[in-house]
Amino acid sequence: MSGIEGKVIAVTGASSGIGEATATYLGEKGARLVLGARREDRLNAVVDKIKAAGGTATGVIVDVTRREDLQRLTDTAIDQFGRLDVLVSNAGTMAVSPFDDLRQDDWDAMVSVHITGLLNGIGAALPVFREQRSGQFVNVGSTAAYVVKPPQAVYAATKTAVKVLTEGLRQESGPDLRVTLVSPGFTNTEGVGKGASPEAAAAMTQQRDAIAMPPSAIAAAIGYAIEQPEGVDVSEIVVRPTVQA
Ligand SMILES: NC(=O)c1ccc[n+]([C@@H]2O[C@H](COP(=O)([O-])OP(=O)(O)OC[C@H]3O[C@@H](n4cnc5c(N)ncnc54)[C@H](OP(=O)(O)O)[C@@H]3O)[C@@H](O)[C@H]2O)c1
């Protein structure tokens, strides 16, 4: 199966930002969507918007740090649509702060959402993809994995882990599966600065408002990777605003 139309695509972190834009984009192209996030009201609003536009979408309340929640997300795809073609692991948190602030709960959250969350997705979807002898992982990384800037070290480290896990998974995936890393630069979403230390949040939102690209730019990159013919693996895409260093 190539293209986007008819594919069963699960997206984590679909209640806002890049995940919402990706779900909307894929819904317009005829994907059958299973969307996961924790905020029920926001997730339902995205599902309703996609359905109102003629698309197909179901929402599942998912905390990616919980293994059973990812299992429920992929089970929902199988129960409702009989298969799963793509898992977009996008859920994330940009709660950055300087080390001296010792915001260890935020460090833990970035580790568990980006690393454990990604592994939970792999654990839930890989058996399905193996059984089908087809499937695609699309993992959302960050340019922070390429250029490390203070005070983003923990965030950058966890996104570096996403990059490494994606490449390792690609090498182990064999001829039937596709594995893609999409690494955004500054993107205009509510998540920029959310949960960050006050100084970091102020700097990030100011930079976002000055230079960020729309989340639709990342949605289109993800769509490009998905729509390639079977046997063509877009392994890595980095998308930045032109003015981002
Ligand atoms: N915006 C940027 O400049 C930028 C740049 C590079 C990379 N990224 C990456 O892009 C991804 C999306 O971020 P965004 O910019 O679109 O921010 P966002 O609007 O805050 O979106 C983050 C999404 O992740 C979900 N999420 C967070 N923790 C979760 C958890 N434990 N379980 C399930 N869902 C969870 C949130 O939904 P709930 O709160 O409803 O669960 C939300 O839907 C992240 O991985 C981020 O690191 C963003």
Side-chain angles (χ1 to χ4, degrees), residues 9-89:
I9 302 178
V11 182
T12 68
S15 59
S16 62
I18 290 169
E20 176 181 1
T22 300
T24 305
Y25 180 92
L26 297 172
E28 283 166 2
K29 304 253 176 196
R32 295 175 288 170
L33 298 164
V34 183
L35 305 179
R38 294 165 304 174
R39 289 170 296 172
E40 189 169 14
D41 53 335
R42 295 289 299 270
L43 187 63
N44 286 342
V46 175
V47 168
D48 290 346
K49 183 177 68 172
I50 291 167
K51 283 182 171 170
T56 305
T58 300
V60 183
I61 302 304
V62 165
D63 180 338
V64 296
T65 66
R66 294 161 54 92
R67 209 181 279 180
E68 60 272 27
D69 285 14
L70 263 301
Q71 193 62 54
R72 206 152 30 76
L73 188 76
T74 56
D75 286 350
T76 301
I78 307 299
D79 291 347
Q80 295 213 357
F81 304 116
R83 56 185 295 112
L84 176 68
D85 295 299
V86 185
L87 172 63
V88 181
S89 290

Side-chain angles (χ1 to χ4, degrees), residues 51-224:
K51 283 182 171 170
T56 305
T58 300
V60 183
I61 302 304
V62 165
D63 180 338
V64 296
T65 66
R66 294 161 54 92
R67 209 181 279 180
E68 60 272 27
D69 285 14
L70 263 301
Q71 193 62 54
R72 206 152 30 76
L73 188 76
T74 56
D75 286 350
T76 301
I78 307 299
D79 291 347
Q80 295 213 357
F81 304 116
R83 56 185 295 112
L84 176 68
D85 295 299
V86 185
L87 172 63
V88 181
S89 290
N90 162 74
T93 171
M94 294 173 275
V96 305
S97 56
F99 279 114
D100 278 322
D101 285 2
L102 297 178
R103 292 167 69 126
Q104 290 183 246
D105 287 345
D106 294 342
W107 303 349
D108 289 350
M110 287 186 272
V111 169
S112 61
V113 175
H114 299 151
I115 302 178
T116 306
L118 176 61
L119 293 171
N120 287 340
I122 293 169
L126 187 58
V128 178
F129 292 167
R130 289 292 187 214
E131 169 98 30
Q132 292 174 170
R133 299 180 69 89
S134 75
Q136 182 174 14
F137 291 98
V138 178
N139 300 335
V140 175
S142 171
T143 53
Y146 298 76
V147 181
V148 184
K149 291 184 179 165
Q152 299 185 3
V154 177
Y155 177 75
T158 60
K159 287 299 188 177
T160 301
V162 170
K163 185 167 177 272
V164 170
L165 291 168
T166 305
E167 174 59 11
L169 180 63
R170 187 190 68 75
Q171 291 190 25
E172 288 187 33
S173 64
D176 297 329
L177 308 194
R178 305 194 296 170
V179 184
T180 301
L181 176 70
V182 176
S183 297
F186 251 107
T187 309
N188 195 350
T189 71
E190 66 181 46
V192 175
K194 191 164 151 185
S197 63
E199 304 75 30
M204 287 170 80
T205 50
Q206 188 185 33
Q207 204 180 2
R208 176 193 65 193
D209 296 344
I211 72 165
M213 59 195 166
S216 56
I218 307 305
I222 291 172
Y224 173 79

